[in-house]
Amino acid sequence: MRVLIMQEVSPAGLAELEGHELVRGSDPSGCDGVVCYLIDRIDEAFLATPGLRGLATVSVGLDHIDLAAAERHRIPIAYTPDVLTEATADLTFALLLGAARRLGQSERYLRAGRWQSWSFDLLLGTDVHGKTLGIIGPGRIGRAVARRADGFSMRVLFAGRDRSELERVLAESDFVVVTVPLSESTRHLIGAAELARMKQGAILVNTSRGPVVDEAALAESLASGHLGGAGLDVFENEPHVHPALLACENALMVPHIASATRETRDGMARLACRGLAQILRGERPPNLANPQVWPVEAESR
Ligand code: DGY
């Protein structure tokens, strides 16, 4: 079996594909399987490649894959749920704390040699403990963030798909964390109107996908002083960051690293590659993203 590896995969992952012929690049022609990442665009033409029998993405997000086309072409997809939940929740909480306590600004201030003396009102932030946390997206990662909030005695509110629930959570929360997957229904879910509903001085954290938040509206809200801060791991047009956001001192921003720990990335690589090996052996993997294509009939190819 020939497997196309589209980006670097750790040895722990590749070990799961032992016995397969591995090729590097972006052209799936002649390959039985593919291992991709969220930066690879997997469109209809890609999925229609003759002989392609399965795909693994080393991600929990699936928005880079045309899922409807995968269903039409009966291509099973292995992905990486669960294994990155805790690391992503850790980074989400780190951004929340960092934005609340102005860690980015404080470090820039110190490194610039501007620190002259301790002072009573230097870089004042806002308390986290005892505050209200709104979680938009009550999935695995949202619930893991809630467990961390419990340790800070926070009141936790959840919003799912219900619009009135979303509006209530936005209006009542001191911190709002966005953990929904990107789809047509969540694109710009948080726009100017939603930001305006948030409390004066509230903090928004996004570790889901950039396009869930309207970046231009967010930058405007931060610059106007309506929002107190933001913690961002993801951006609308990665790796490009909106210049208006870069100009906001109160935005704490990191380059899409929520799952970037050695242990978690190895776990993701292993899970994805193992899932693909199972698909290519004709076994249903436990981490199948599109169970509706299973079992794949030989005659459907
Ligand atoms: C994912 O897996 O979708 C994250 O965004 C990167 O780990």
Side-chain angles (χ1 to χ4, degrees), residues 27-38:
D27 179 5
S29 316
C31 293
D32 303 279
V34 171
V35 179
C36 71
Y37 281 88
L38 57 94

mmCIF file with all atom_site columns, all heavy atoms in Angstrom, residues 27-38:
data_model
loop_
_atom_site.group_PDB
_atom_site.id
_atom_site.type_symbol
_atom_site.label_atom_id
_atom_site.label_alt_id
_atom_site.label_comp_id
_atom_site.label_asym_id
_atom_site.label_entity_id
_atom_site.label_seq_id
_atom_site.pdbx_PDB_ins_code
_atom_site.Cartn_x
_atom_site.Cartn_y
_atom_site.Cartn_z
_atom_site.occupancy
_atom_site.B_iso_or_equiv
_atom_site.pdbx_formal_charge
_atom_site.auth_seq_id
_atom_site.auth_comp_id
_atom_site.auth_asym_id
_atom_site.auth_atom_id
_atom_site.pdbx_PDB_model_num
ATOM 1  N N   . ASP A 1 27 ? 0.697  15.309 -4.251 1.00 0.00 ? 27 ASP A N   1
ATOM 2  C CA  . ASP A 1 27 ? -0.077 14.677 -5.327 1.00 0.00 ? 27 ASP A CA  1
ATOM 3  C C   . ASP A 1 27 ? -0.500 13.255 -4.911 1.00 0.00 ? 27 ASP A C   1
ATOM 4  O O   . ASP A 1 27 ? 0.354  12.381 -4.741 1.00 0.00 ? 27 ASP A O   1
ATOM 5  C CB  . ASP A 1 27 ? 0.796  14.633 -6.588 1.00 0.00 ? 27 ASP A CB  1
ATOM 6  C CG  . ASP A 1 27 ? 0.068  13.962 -7.736 1.00 0.00 ? 27 ASP A CG  1
ATOM 7  O OD1 . ASP A 1 27 ? -1.129 13.614 -7.586 1.00 0.00 ? 27 ASP A OD1 1
ATOM 8  O OD2 . ASP A 1 27 ? 0.712  13.754 -8.788 1.00 0.00 ? 27 ASP A OD2 1
ATOM 9  N N   . PRO A 1 28 ? -1.805 13.026 -4.769 1.00 0.00 ? 28 PRO A N   1
ATOM 10 C CA  . PRO A 1 28 ? -2.260 11.715 -4.294 1.00 0.00 ? 28 PRO A CA  1
ATOM 11 C C   . PRO A 1 28 ? -2.305 10.624 -5.384 1.00 0.00 ? 28 PRO A C   1
ATOM 12 O O   . PRO A 1 28 ? -2.635 9.474  -5.081 1.00 0.00 ? 28 PRO A O   1
ATOM 13 C CB  . PRO A 1 28 ? -3.671 12.017 -3.780 1.00 0.00 ? 28 PRO A CB  1
ATOM 14 C CG  . PRO A 1 28 ? -4.134 13.183 -4.593 1.00 0.00 ? 28 PRO A CG  1
ATOM 15 C CD  . PRO A 1 28 ? -2.916 13.983 -4.950 1.00 0.00 ? 28 PRO A CD  1
ATOM 16 N N   . SER A 1 29 ? -1.958 10.975 -6.646 1.00 0.00 ? 29 SER A N   1
ATOM 17 C CA  . SER A 1 29 ? -2.078 9.976  -7.726 1.00 0.00 ? 29 SER A CA  1
ATOM 18 C C   . SER A 1 29 ? -1.286 8.713  -7.377 1.00 0.00 ? 29 SER A C   1
ATOM 19 O O   . SER A 1 29 ? -0.136 8.804  -6.946 1.00 0.00 ? 29 SER A O   1
ATOM 20 C CB  . SER A 1 29 ? -1.525 10.508 -9.046 1.00 0.00 ? 29 SER A CB  1
ATOM 21 O OG  . SER A 1 29 ? -1.943 11.809 -9.244 1.00 0.00 ? 29 SER A OG  1
ATOM 22 N N   . GLY A 1 30 ? -1.903 7.599  -7.557 1.00 0.00 ? 30 GLY A N   1
ATOM 23 C CA  . GLY A 1 30 ? -1.231 6.320  -7.329 1.00 0.00 ? 30 GLY A CA  1
ATOM 24 C C   . GLY A 1 30 ? -1.150 5.934  -5.858 1.00 0.00 ? 30 GLY A C   1
ATOM 25 O O   . GLY A 1 30 ? -0.527 4.928  -5.516 1.00 0.00 ? 30 GLY A O   1
ATOM 26 N N   . CYS A 1 31 ? -1.771 6.718  -4.978 1.00 0.00 ? 31 CYS A N   1
ATOM 27 C CA  . CYS A 1 31 ? -1.697 6.403  -3.538 1.00 0.00 ? 31 CYS A CA  1
ATOM 28 C C   . CYS A 1 31 ? -3.001 5.771  -3.048 1.00 0.00 ? 31 CYS A C   1
ATOM 29 O O   . CYS A 1 31 ? -4.087 6.112  -3.515 1.00 0.00 ? 31 CYS A O   1
ATOM 30 C CB  . CYS A 1 31 ? -1.410 7.654  -2.728 1.00 0.00 ? 31 CYS A CB  1
ATOM 31 S SG  . CYS A 1 31 ? 0.236  8.294  -3.044 1.00 0.00 ? 31 CYS A SG  1
ATOM 32 N N   . ASP A 1 32 ? -2.849 4.852  -2.086 1.00 0.00 ? 32 ASP A N   1
ATOM 33 C CA  . ASP A 1 32 ? -4.021 4.216  -1.475 1.00 0.00 ? 32 ASP A CA  1
ATOM 34 C C   . ASP A 1 32 ? -4.537 5.057  -0.318 1.00 0.00 ? 32 ASP A C   1
ATOM 35 O O   . ASP A 1 32 ? -5.730 5.099  -0.032 1.00 0.00 ? 32 ASP A O   1
ATOM 36 C CB  . ASP A 1 32 ? -3.636 2.830  -0.943 1.00 0.00 ? 32 ASP A CB  1
ATOM 37 C CG  . ASP A 1 32 ? -3.061 1.949  -2.028 1.00 0.00 ? 32 ASP A CG  1
ATOM 38 O OD1 . ASP A 1 32 ? -3.849 1.378  -2.792 1.00 0.00 ? 32 ASP A OD1 1
ATOM 39 O OD2 . ASP A 1 32 ? -1.817 1.865  -2.138 1.00 0.00 ? 32 ASP A OD2 1
ATOM 40 N N   . GLY A 1 33 ? -3.588 5.711  0.366  1.00 0.00 ? 33 GLY A N   1
ATOM 41 C CA  . GLY A 1 33 ? -3.971 6.499  1.541  1.00 0.00 ? 33 GLY A CA  1
ATOM 42 C C   . GLY A 1 33 ? -3.182 7.795  1.600  1.00 0.00 ? 33 GLY A C   1
ATOM 43 O O   . GLY A 1 33 ? -2.166 7.959  0.927  1.00 0.00 ? 33 GLY A O   1
ATOM 44 N N   . VAL A 1 34 ? -3.678 8.707  2.449  1.00 0.00 ? 34 VAL A N   1
ATOM 45 C CA  . VAL A 1 34 ? -3.048 10.030 2.589  1.00 0.00 ? 34 VAL A CA  1
ATOM 46 C C   . VAL A 1 34 ? -3.040 10.411 4.068  1.00 0.00 ? 34 VAL A C   1
ATOM 47 O O   . VAL A 1 34 ? -4.031 10.189 4.772  1.00 0.00 ? 34 VAL A O   1
ATOM 48 C CB  . VAL A 1 34 ? -3.849 11.100 1.806  1.00 0.00 ? 34 VAL A CB  1
ATOM 49 C CG1 . VAL A 1 34 ? -3.343 12.511 2.118  1.00 0.00 ? 34 VAL A CG1 1
ATOM 50 C CG2 . VAL A 1 34 ? -3.792 10.851 0.297  1.00 0.00 ? 34 VAL A CG2 1
ATOM 51 N N   . VAL A 1 35 ? -1.924 11.011 4.512  1.00 0.00 ? 35 VAL A N   1
ATOM 52 C CA  . VAL A 1 35 ? -1.888 11.641 5.834  1.00 0.00 ? 35 VAL A CA  1
ATOM 53 C C   . VAL A 1 35 ? -1.718 13.146 5.610  1.00 0.00 ? 35 VAL A C   1
ATOM 54 O O   . VAL A 1 35 ? -0.756 13.570 4.972  1.00 0.00 ? 35 VAL A O   1
ATOM 55 C CB  . VAL A 1 35 ? -0.719 11.110 6.695  1.00 0.00 ? 35 VAL A CB  1
ATOM 56 C CG1 . VAL A 1 35 ? -0.704 11.812 8.056  1.00 0.00 ? 35 VAL A CG1 1
ATOM 57 C CG2 . VAL A 1 35 ? -0.826 9.597  6.871  1.00 0.00 ? 35 VAL A CG2 1
ATOM 58 N N   . CYS A 1 36 ? -2.673 13.936 6.108  1.00 0.00 ? 36 CYS A N   1
ATOM 59 C CA  . CYS A 1 36 ? -2.617 15.385 5.879  1.00 0.00 ? 36 CYS A CA  1
ATOM 60 C C   . CYS A 1 36 ? -2.756 16.131 7.209  1.00 0.00 ? 36 CYS A C   1
ATOM 61 O O   . CYS A 1 36 ? -3.007 15.524 8.260  1.00 0.00 ? 36 CYS A O   1
ATOM 62 C CB  . CYS A 1 36 ? -3.727 15.807 4.910  1.00 0.00 ? 36 CYS A CB  1
ATOM 63 S SG  . CYS A 1 36 ? -5.385 15.730 5.613  1.00 0.00 ? 36 CYS A SG  1
ATOM 64 N N   . TYR A 1 37 ? -2.606 17.448 7.113  1.00 0.00 ? 37 TYR A N   1
ATOM 65 C CA  . TYR A 1 37 ? -2.782 18.339 8.269  1.00 0.00 ? 37 TYR A CA  1
ATOM 66 C C   . TYR A 1 37 ? -3.818 19.397 7.932  1.00 0.00 ? 37 TYR A C   1
ATOM 67 O O   . TYR A 1 37 ? -4.263 19.505 6.780  1.00 0.00 ? 37 TYR A O   1
ATOM 68 C CB  . TYR A 1 37 ? -1.455 19.022 8.611  1.00 0.00 ? 37 TYR A CB  1
ATOM 69 C CG  . TYR A 1 37 ? -0.501 18.148 9.389  1.00 0.00 ? 37 TYR A CG  1
ATOM 70 C CD1 . TYR A 1 37 ? 0.387  17.302 8.737  1.00 0.00 ? 37 TYR A CD1 1
ATOM 71 C CD2 . TYR A 1 37 ? -0.506 18.161 10.775 1.00 0.00 ? 37 TYR A CD2 1
ATOM 72 C CE1 . TYR A 1 37 ? 1.267  16.507 9.455  1.00 0.00 ? 37 TYR A CE1 1
ATOM 73 C CE2 . TYR A 1 37 ? 0.367  17.370 11.505 1.00 0.00 ? 37 TYR A CE2 1
ATOM 74 C CZ  . TYR A 1 37 ? 1.259  16.543 10.845 1.00 0.00 ? 37 TYR A CZ  1
ATOM 75 O OH  . TYR A 1 37 ? 2.103  15.766 11.556 1.00 0.00 ? 37 TYR A OH  1
ATOM 76 N N   . LEU A 1 38 ? -4.112 20.236 8.914  1.00 0.00 ? 38 LEU A N   1
ATOM 77 C CA  . LEU A 1 38 ? -5.146 21.255 8.694  1.00 0.00 ? 38 LEU A CA  1
ATOM 78 C C   . LEU A 1 38 ? -4.737 22.315 7.671  1.00 0.00 ? 38 LEU A C   1
ATOM 79 O O   . LEU A 1 38 ? -5.576 23.058 7.192  1.00 0.00 ? 38 LEU A O   1
ATOM 80 C CB  . LEU A 1 38 ? -5.534 21.922 10.019 1.00 0.00 ? 38 LEU A CB  1
ATOM 81 C CG  . LEU A 1 38 ? -4.417 22.589 10.831 1.00 0.00 ? 38 LEU A CG  1
ATOM 82 C CD1 . LEU A 1 38 ? -4.313 24.067 10.504 1.00 0.00 ? 38 LEU A CD1 1
ATOM 83 C CD2 . LEU A 1 38 ? -4.695 22.413 12.312 1.00 0.00 ? 38 LEU A CD2 1
#
